[in-house]
């Protein structure tokens, strides 16, 4: 691990677009600086081994070209809303998509801020499947899937939920379960591409 | 794009995780409740024959770094058929939600209900954790009073320094262990194992009896306390045959044979200490009369330089910590400290590892050591603890430092490049007057003056930090009267004025203090008897939690609870705190044997009052404090003559075994 220079050296590590506290994620990315070159596959194993169960390191590549932060353009989220009727959710989503903009409020480190939660949302759909993926139960559970662009201030899943409350008065009776499924670069068609793909291609060309 | 292939966290059969998880987004710092740290162990429930839940009764950020719990956790989990998990005090926001949703006190390792365990071990470094104990017991669904518990409840065992007088919590615990825990937990485990293998004959009562018969586990229910009409204790006697009149402390000898922690826990959430701590010796015979730790951990037992070196190397490799703390009650007193510091500094030169030594000894040698340790460029702070402001009061407390020594030492620090030193004192010591405390100002002024003269610079500072004195059991001051909070606060105010009387010097002096009120309550709890349990319970019922945190501690709540409960026994808060005891009074902990001879303690108390100093038995003849013959122990110190060898640099990645390719 490489460290910054100076009186109190810090490890060279930076997180791109980390998921908010309390949100599950299948796709977090970070950049670390190392003292010496290592085999990425071995680095993956070493890091995975040092981390807690459930914090799994899936892949590591040698960074080339642009920084990671520039490659994170959008996130794919899924929100499970237990005890919410999918039809009610669908109505709220329609109201949300039809709005030009939806102003929401959130406490940030800079204090209370008001911003638009609508324009960053590229797609937002109620999942047709009525079964709950995590934990079977007789109560209904609505599921929301959405792709949100990385903007400043960032629009988080809870901001979109606030937006649904603003436009349609949707109040989930229990805490929603939020999971990030993917994040990365956007294609022209609006698909999300693994931000490490560029480096993987580079490695192949380099003859590794 | 790679398909997510994350391994779901295995959920134990009796885990509360599915019910706890939905509550976590609603609380502050939820990460402190999830476990899974590097160094954490989750074992199979069904194959374990004895199961321990270990608690440090404070928040995760304070509790996780605790050495005692980490050591016992590791020692127990090394046994193939024994399981130990950790639990910490939950903050009030989670406590409220857990009550509303019926989630019991849980361990962070596998999120199992504490009530499912055979033993619930709680380590008390301070008495201010007592209310948190009650929260944990209650949240666990265990009856608050030991007398109401059944075979379905774990045996609650208290340990740590506060367990040397567990009487204030005697109603709430089933047992207490005095002294070193390493071997004690193994002995208790073996007794529980055997009793369970036999089919739990005689139930809980029989198990407690077997524990009590070891003569090193105190089971309060087997002792009756009789009181005199004036409120003092008449006697404490066993109410069962086979139960010893006195319970003795445990002493682990040969620390080289117990090189724990080997696999230190690496916290996920921020904690108060993020370093690998190695205890370089246990015990202290400097003889500071206020210091309970120094009295109850005798004799001095050193860990050898080579064991320390190996522990540092392996601990760092395992954990990835960047800081090593060489801990003990007076680290500069280790017989091999010079070679240890220079050897470790040499080994880690050019790396990110920084070494620290809690420095309390006031002499130039300490600065030499600190300089060795700062070779890597990082200067850790220097703290000196003269403890008392005047020469006279330092004789009373047996802290043998002269003013000249102190000034010379601090000036040496300044001339060696330190810009800032911290000086630690106490207020409210026995026989103390305003004049004793005001001398702290003179001392600080002279330190700055001499420092400016020696360095030719105005850019030097010192911080005067003052704590309130609390008389503790098993010390020569166990008979002493406490000063009232008003007296302490008044002296601190005078001192502040005196420091700032010279504005030029005052500007270079920082002043930090605690007011006298929390100390008085700590005094009530540390020298309390079983009747104080009613106060603790009332405070807890009225919402008292996290009393070690100044922002949560309420002096008024304690005063009110004492006023509501103690008069029924004919005593009050003052009776426990500001009252001086006489020689013949039966003290609540007299039946608990720390090895110290009570006659010697009394003599040392008299010596204190006549300002007579006592030397250290490591370098002068034995002064008969009683510990070694009573406990059949001896001083274990070096030097071994061995040195630390340069390390072969380890390059590359640390890979798990079998995953090299």
């Amino acid at each position: 691990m490489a460290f910054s220079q100076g009186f109190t050296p810090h490890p060279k590590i930076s997180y791109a677009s980390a998921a908010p506290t309390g949100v599950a994620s299948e796709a977090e990315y970070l950049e670390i600086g190392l003292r010496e070159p290592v085999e990425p596959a071995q680095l993956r194993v070493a890091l995975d081994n040092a981390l807690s169960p459930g914090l799994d390191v899936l892949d590591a590549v040698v960074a080339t070209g642009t920084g990671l932060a520039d490659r994170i353009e959008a996130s794919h989220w899924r929100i499970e809303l237990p005890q919410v009727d999918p039809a009610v959710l669908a109505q709220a989503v329609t109201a949300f998509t039809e709005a030009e903009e939806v102003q929401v409020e959130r406490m940030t480190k800079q204090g209370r801020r008001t911003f638009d939660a609508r324009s960053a949302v590229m797609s937002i759909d109620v999942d047709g499947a009525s079964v709950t993926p995590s934990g079977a139960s007789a109560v209904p559970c609505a599921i929301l899937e959405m792709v949100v662009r990385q903007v400043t201030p960032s629009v988080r899943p809870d901001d979109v939920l606030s937006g649904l409350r603003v436009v349609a008065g949707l109040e989930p009776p229990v805490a929603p379960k939020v999971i990030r499924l993917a994040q990365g670069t956007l294609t022209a068609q609006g698909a999300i591409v693994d931000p490490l793909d560029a480096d993987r291609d580079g490695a192949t060309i380099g003859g590794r | 794009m790679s398909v997510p292939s994350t391994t779901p966290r295995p959920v134990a059969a009796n885990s509360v995780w599915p019910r706890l998880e939905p509550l976590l987004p609603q609380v502050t710092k939820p990460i402190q409740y999830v476990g899974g740290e590097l160094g954490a162990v989750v074992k199979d429930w069904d194959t374990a024959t004895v199961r321990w839940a270990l608690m440090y009764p404070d928040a995760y950020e304070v509790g996780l770094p605790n050495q005692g719990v980490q050591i016992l956790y590791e020692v127990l989990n090394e046994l193939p058929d024994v399981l130990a998990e950790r639990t910490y005090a939950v903050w009030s926001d989670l406590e409220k939600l857990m009550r509303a949703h019926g989630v019991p006190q849980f361990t962070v390792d596998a999120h199992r209900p504490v009530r499912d365990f055979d033993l619930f071990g709680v380590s008390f470094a301070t008495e201010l954790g007592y209310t948190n104990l009650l929260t944990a017991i209650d949240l666990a669904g265990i009856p608050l009073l030991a007398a109401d518990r059944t075979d379905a409840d774990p045996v609650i065992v208290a340990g740590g320094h506060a367990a040397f007088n567990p009487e204030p919590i005697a109603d709430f615990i089933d047992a207490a262990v005095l002294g070193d825990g390493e071997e004690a937990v193994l002995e208790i485990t073996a007794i529980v194992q055997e009793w369970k293998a036999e089919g739990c004959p005689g139930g809980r009562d029989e198990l407690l009896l077997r524990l009590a018969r070891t003569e090193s586990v105190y089971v309060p229910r087997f002792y009756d306390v009789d009181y005199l009409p004036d409120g003092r204790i008449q006697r404490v006697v066993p109410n069962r045959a086979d139960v010893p009149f006195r319970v003795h402390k445990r002493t682990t000898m040969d620390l080289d044979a117990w090189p724990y922690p080997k696999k230190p826990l690496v916290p996920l959430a921020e904690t108060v200490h993020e370093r690998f701590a190695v205890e370089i010796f246990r015990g202290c015979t400097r003889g500071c009369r206020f210091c309970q730790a120094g009295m109850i951990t005798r004799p001095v037992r050193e860990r050898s330089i080579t064991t320390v070196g190996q522990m540092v190397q392996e601990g760092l490799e395992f954990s990835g910590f960047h800081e090593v703390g060489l801990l003990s009650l007076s680290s500069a007193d280790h017989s091999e400290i010079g070679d240890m510091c220079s050897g470790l500094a040499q080994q880690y030169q050019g790396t990110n590892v920084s070494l620290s030594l809690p420095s309390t000894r006031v002499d130039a040698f300490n600065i030499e050591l600190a300089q060795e340790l700062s070779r890597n460029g990082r200067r850790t702070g220097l703290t000196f603890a003269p403890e008392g402001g005047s020469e006279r009061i330092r004789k009373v407390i047996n802290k043998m430092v002269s003013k000249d020594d102190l000034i010379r030492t601090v000036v040496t620090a300044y001339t060696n490049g330190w810009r800032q030193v911290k000086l630690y004192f106490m207020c409210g010591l026995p026989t103390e007057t305003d004049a004793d405390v005001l001398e702290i100002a003179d001392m600080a002024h002279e330190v700055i003056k001499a420092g400016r003269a020696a360095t030719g610079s105005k850019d030097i500072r010192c911080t005067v930090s003052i704590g309130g004195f609390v008389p503790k059991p098993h010390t020569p001051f166990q008979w002493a009267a406490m000063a009232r909070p008003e007296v302490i606060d008044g002296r601190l105010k005078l001192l502040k004025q005196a420091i700032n009387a010279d504005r030029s010097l005052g500007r270079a002096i920082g002043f930090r203090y605690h007011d006298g009120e929390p100390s008085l309550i700590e005094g009530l709890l540390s020298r309390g008897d079983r009747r104080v349990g009613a106060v603790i319970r009332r405070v807890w019922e009225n919402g008292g939690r996290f009393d070690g945190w100044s922002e949560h501690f309420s002096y008024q709540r304690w005063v009110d609870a004492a006023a509501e409960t103690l008069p029924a026994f004919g005593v009050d808060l003052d009776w426990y705190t500001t009252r001086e005891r006489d020689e013949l009074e039966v003290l609540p902990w007299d039946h608990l044997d720390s090895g110290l001879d009570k006659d010697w303690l009394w003599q040392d108390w008299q010596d204190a009052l006549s300002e007579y100093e006592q030397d250290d038995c490591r370098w002068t003849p034995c002064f008969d404090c009683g510990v070694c013959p009573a406990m059949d122990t001896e001083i274990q110190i070096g030097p071994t003559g061995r040195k630390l060898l340069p390390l072969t640099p380890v390059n590359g990645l640390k890979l798990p075994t079998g995953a090299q390719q």
Side-chain angles (χ1 to χ4, degrees):
Chain A
M1 187 111 213
F3 279 73
S4 63
Q5 298 296 306
F7 190 68
T8 46
H10 287 288
K12 286 193 171 169
I13 182 161
S14 62
Y15 302 87
S17 175
T21 302
V23 167
S25 180
E26 294 287 353
E28 295 299 298
Y29 295 87
L30 59 91
E31 271 175 315
I32 55 175
L34 301 175
R35 263 195 330 231
E36 59 201 59
V38 297
E39 185 59 46
Q42 296 213 341
L43 175 68
R44 186 201 72 76
V45 173
L47 284 175
D48 193 43
N49 193 50
L51 288 168
S52 309
L55 279 178
D56 295 341
V57 180
L58 300 179
D59 202 1
V61 299
V62 179
T64 55
T66 55
L68 187 55
D70 297 332
R71 301 181 195 180
I72 305 284
E73 294 177 328
S75 272
H76 182 188
W77 303 96
R78 184 169 69 206
I79 307 179
E80 292 174 20
L81 296 153
Q83 299 173 34
V84 171
D85 183 347
V88 173
L89 178 64
Q91 277 175 2
V93 166
T94 307
F96 184 82
T97 46
E98 281 171 358
E100 285 271 302
E101 56 164 49
V102 180
Q103 292 292 321
V104 297
E105 270 192 355
R106 168 158 54 90
M107 277 306 281
T108 68
K109 279 176 191 151
Q110 289 81 37
R112 186 164 289 281
R113 290 191 65 165
T114 305
F115 52 92
D116 176 29
R118 172 66 191 92
S119 59
V121 176
M122 301 176 63
S123 69
I124 176 165
D125 300 294
V126 179
D127 197 317
S130 57
V131 287
T132 321
S134 60
S137 109
V139 286
C141 175
I143 295 167
L144 197 58
E145 293 229 15
M146 59 190 191
V147 175
V148 183
R149 264 189 301 120
Q150 183 65 37
V151 290
T152 312
S154 62
V155 173
R156 309 190 314 197
D158 51 322
D159 298 323
V160 176
L161 291 173
S162 300
L164 294 176
R165 186 172 61 236
V166 169
V167 295
L170 185 83
E171 297 275 3
V174 295
K177 281 188 192 170
V178 183
I179 182 164
R180 171 184 264 157
L181 296 175
Q183 57 174 334
T185 326
L186 276 173
T187 65
Q189 290 74 36
I192 293 178
V193 178
D194 183 344
L196 303 189
D197 270 1
D199 295 321
R200 273 193 206 96
D201 295 345
T204 313
I205 294 161
R208 296 290 300 269
Chain B
M1 183 168 173
S2 60
V3 179
S5 62
T6 50
T7 42
R9 178 193 192 97
V11 174
N14 51 350
S15 170
V16 304
W17 182 252
R19 286 186 288 149
L20 174 67
E21 193 183 15
L23 308 182
L24 294 183
Q26 305 167 55
V27 302
T28 52
K29 297 187 194 164
I31 186 130
Q32 65 188 308
Y33 306 114
V34 303
E37 305 93 332
L38 186 63
V41 178
V42 174
K43 294 170 96 172
D44 182 44
W45 184 260
D46 294 322
T47 52
T49 54
V50 178
R51 305 166 185 124
W52 281 84
L54 300 175
M55 178 179 205
Y56 187 85
D58 204 327
Y60 180 91
E61 60 195 272
V62 177
L64 182 127
N66 181 264
Q67 283 281 294
V69 171
Q70 287 205 21
I71 291 169
L72 301 185
Y73 179 70
E74 196 171 343
V75 165
L76 289 167
N77 276 320
E78 276 183 2
L79 300 176
D81 51 354
V82 174
L83 165 164
E85 299 193 7
R86 295 160 296 135
T87 183
Y88 303 100
V90 300
W91 283 110
S92 302
D93 54 354
L94 184 58
E95 184 194 337
K96 223 159 132 189
L97 287 168
M98 285 164 68
R99 290 188 189 282
H101 292 83
V103 177
Q105 178 81 23
F106 56 87
T107 60
V108 295
D109 300 289
H111 298 95
R112 287 162 170 143
V114 165
R115 193 168 186 235
D116 286 1
F117 288 76
D118 300 306
L119 293 139
F120 181 20
V122 189
S123 176
F124 290 100
T126 153
E127 298 84 2
L128 295 174
Y130 290 161
T131 48
N132 285 354
L133 167 73
L134 297 197
T135 311
I137 295 176
D138 188 54
L139 275 177
I142 300 168
L144 266 191
L145 296 177
D148 297 337
R149 289 176 201 146
T150 68
D151 290 1
D153 297 303
V155 169
I156 302 184
V157 188
H161 288 182
F164 275 82
N165 176 25
E167 290 300 86
I169 50 168
D171 291 343
F172 313 119
I173 59 170
D174 296 293
V177 173
L178 283 63
D180 299 329
E182 288 97 336
E183 291 162 289
V185 290
L186 296 180
E187 188 179 357
I188 293 170
T189 301
I191 290 170
V192 174
Q193 205 158 32
E194 199 181 290
W195 172 77
K196 283 177 78 176
E198 291 167 19
C200 310
R204 188 179 189 82
D205 195 65
E206 164 77 14
L207 174 61
L208 291 172
L209 199 56
R210 289 187 188 187
L211 291 172
R213 281 189 199 137
T214 62
E215 305 198 0
S216 65
V217 178
Y218 173 52
V219 179
R221 72 171 61 181
F222 297 148
Y223 297 80
D224 288 335
V225 183
D226 298 329
Y227 299 96
L228 293 165
D230 66 3
R232 288 180 302 156
I233 293 171
Q234 183 179 25
R235 54 180 192 166
V236 181
V237 280
N239 55 25
R240 296 278 284 252
D242 274 13
V243 171
F245 273 86
R246 297 190 82 201
V247 180
H248 313 290
K249 78 162 179 182
R250 299 291 306 231
T251 310
T252 296
M253 299 301 290
D254 187 12
L255 293 195
D256 282 351
W258 298 91
Y260 297 91
K262 298 173 187 165
K263 296 179 173 176
L265 288 159
V266 183
L268 285 179
E270 213 174 314
T271 58
V272 290
H273 296 300
E274 298 188 344
R275 64 180 180 204
F276 177 49
V278 179
E279 193 182 11
I280 61 174
F281 65 88
R282 202 173 285 179
C284 180
T285 37
R286 285 254 156 197
C288 302
R289 293 179 173 125
F290 53 83
C291 179
Q292 187 191 37
M295 293 288 163
I296 62 177
T297 60
R298 294 173 175 199
V300 171
R301 290 145 289 152
E302 286 187 356
R303 213 164 240 152
S304 67
I305 179 171
T306 38
T307 303
V308 170
Q310 194 183 347
M311 285 178 70
V312 170
Q313 187 189 344
E314 292 175 3
L316 287 181
E317 201 174 304
F318 174 83
S319 65
F321 279 123
H322 297 137
E323 193 186 329
V324 177
L326 301 174
L327 306 190
S328 73
L329 292 171
S330 176
S331 290
D333 286 343
H334 192 289
S335 65
E336 301 173 290
I337 193 67
D339 285 342
M340 194 185 290
C341 289
S342 57
L344 287 171
Q346 184 93 49
Q347 287 184 337
Y348 293 98
Q349 191 155 21
T351 70
N352 282 309
V353 173
S354 67
L355 303 157
S356 69
L357 194 68
S359 33
T360 49
R361 231 173 83 176
V362 185
D363 58 32
F365 178 58
N366 222 333
I367 296 175
E368 254 172 65
L369 296 175
Q371 248 177 323
E372 276 295 350
L373 296 180
S374 63
R375 257 203 245 181
N376 266 356
R378 283 200 66 186
R379 286 232 154 135
T380 43
L382 271 180
T383 301
F384 299 106
E387 314 277 3
S390 68
E391 198 87 29
R392 189 196 71 78
I393 201 85
R394 288 195 295 275
K395 283 184 177 160
V396 171
I397 63 179
N398 202 42
K399 185 88 189 188
M400 291 187 266
V401 180
S402 74
K403 188 175 181 179
D404 291 347
D405 282 345
L406 179 88
I407 291 168
R408 206 175 315 122
T409 305
V410 178
V411 168
T412 311
Y414 289 140
T415 49
N416 280 291
W418 269 270
R419 293 268 157 268
Q420 158 108 24
V421 295
K422 195 166 141 193
L423 303 176
Y424 184 82
F425 297 91
M426 278 191 288
C427 186
L429 290 161
T431 77
E432 181 185 277
T433 63
D434 291 357
D436 293 311
V437 175
L438 286 174
E439 276 201 43
I440 296 172
D442 295 340
M443 204 185 250
H445 284 164
E446 283 191 44
V447 157
I448 297 294
K449 261 190 257 172
R452 283 177 181 171
T455 60
S457 161
K458 284 219 156 192
D459 180 28
I460 51 158
R461 285 186 58 76
C462 82
T463 300
V464 171
S465 182
I466 305 196
F469 164 68
V470 179
K472 298 272 176 167
H474 307 280
T475 70
F477 289 164
Q478 63 184 357
W479 291 277
M482 286 186 84
R484 297 188 167 282
E486 313 82 91
V487 173
I488 306 244
D489 294 349
R491 282 184 189 146
L492 293 176
K493 206 172 151 194
L494 288 177
L495 174 59
K496 193 175 184 179
Q497 284 164 0
I499 287 175
N500 292 324
D502 182 318
R503 294 194 54 188
S504 155
L505 296 173
R507 228 180 324 213
I509 301 168
F511 186 50
R512 291 207 187 138
Y513 64 95
H514 298 287
D515 50 26
E517 293 179 343
S519 300
L520 195 78
I521 300 308
E522 210 184 320
L524 165 74
L525 297 174
S526 68
R527 291 192 297 173
D529 52 38
R530 292 187 181 184
R531 297 170 292 191
V532 171
V535 186
I536 298 168
R537 184 167 183 170
R538 181 63 58 90
V539 165
W540 176 76
E541 285 166 349
N542 290 339
R545 306 284 189 278
F546 292 94
D547 286 301
W549 295 65
S550 54
E551 62 267 49
H552 300 292
F553 175 81
S554 162
Y555 179 64
Q556 200 53 49
R557 189 151 48 206
W558 281 96
V559 169
D560 292 346
E564 285 160 27
T565 54
L566 293 178
F569 305 113
V571 291
D572 59 16
L573 180 55
D574 285 356
W575 190 86
Y576 284 102
T577 54
T578 58
R579 179 180 65 95
E580 185 171 334
R581 281 73 159 161
D582 67 29
E583 185 179 6
L584 296 176
E585 177 165 344
V586 176
L587 302 173
W589 51 90
D590 277 351
H591 58 300
L592 302 174
D593 181 16
S594 61
L596 295 158
D597 183 46
K598 198 177 176 188
D599 293 337
W600 177 80
L601 282 173
W602 178 261
Q603 189 52 51
D604 206 42
W605 171 225
Q606 299 310 304
D607 286 349
L609 296 174
S610 54
E611 297 160 26
Y612 178 83
E613 293 165 309
Q614 173 62 59
D615 266 320
D616 188 317
C617 63
R618 273 171 291 183
W619 307 298
T620 60
C622 170
F623 47 77
D624 291 324
C625 74
V627 173
C628 289
M631 298 289 137
D632 191 22
T633 53
E634 58 182 2
I635 300 172
Q636 293 182 330
I637 56 174
T640 60
R642 290 189 295 247
K643 301 271 187 271
L644 290 176
L645 301 172
L647 292 175
T648 323
V650 189
N651 279 324
L653 297 164
K654 199 187 93 190
L655 292 164
T657 13
Q660 298 299 315
Q661 289 306 309

